[in-house]
Amino acid sequence: MGSQVNFCSSVRMLAVVTLYNPDIESVAGNISTYIDSVDAILIWDNSPLSGNVRESVLSRLKCHESKIIWHGTGENECIAAAINMAWQIMNRDSFDTLLVMDQDSSWTDFE
């Protein structure tokens, strides 16, 4: 019998998470539950720019900085805009699948 291929290890996964004035500790903790299992993450921040959400979240996820793509205009845009941008990145950079999360989502058993 031939060797088996672990499908999950050969799949390139992009995650997208939308934020709006999140509790910083909570959202960083939630992202931490799945960031190790994805190849990249688009963080779509709908919060006002004056809230310093970007700096606060990134400081808590510093060891994963190379995986993070941050987008935020200071406007509360619909989730479709975030998913459309993620879809474009997914196709441009040859990801196989897209994981869609929100700031309250976590993953307790990703395997």
Side-chain angles (χ1 to χ4, degrees), residues 22-36:
D23 175 84
I24 301 302
E25 294 299 327
S26 177
V27 77
N30 288 339
I31 291 170
S32 294
T33 66
Y34 54 86
I35 197 166
D36 286 330

Side-chain angles (χ1 to χ4, degrees), residues 28 31-32 35 43 57-65 68:
I31 291 170
S32 294
I35 197 166
I43 299 178
V57 171
L58 290 178
S59 71
R60 286 157 180 84
L61 298 172
K62 196 164 230 14
C63 62
H64 299 290
E65 194 172 21
I68 297 171

Side-chain angles (χ1 to χ4, degrees), residues 36-73:
D36 286 330
S37 299
V38 300
D39 297 286
I41 180 169
L42 169 61
I43 299 178
W44 184 279
D45 184 12
N46 285 321
S47 307
L49 296 176
S50 61
N52 296 321
V53 171
R54 178 183 179 152
E55 294 78 16
S56 298
V57 171
L58 290 178
S59 71
R60 286 157 180 84
L61 298 172
K62 196 164 230 14
C63 62
H64 299 290
E65 194 172 21
S66 64
K67 286 186 169 188
I68 297 171
I69 304 162
W70 195 280
H71 178 81
T73 63

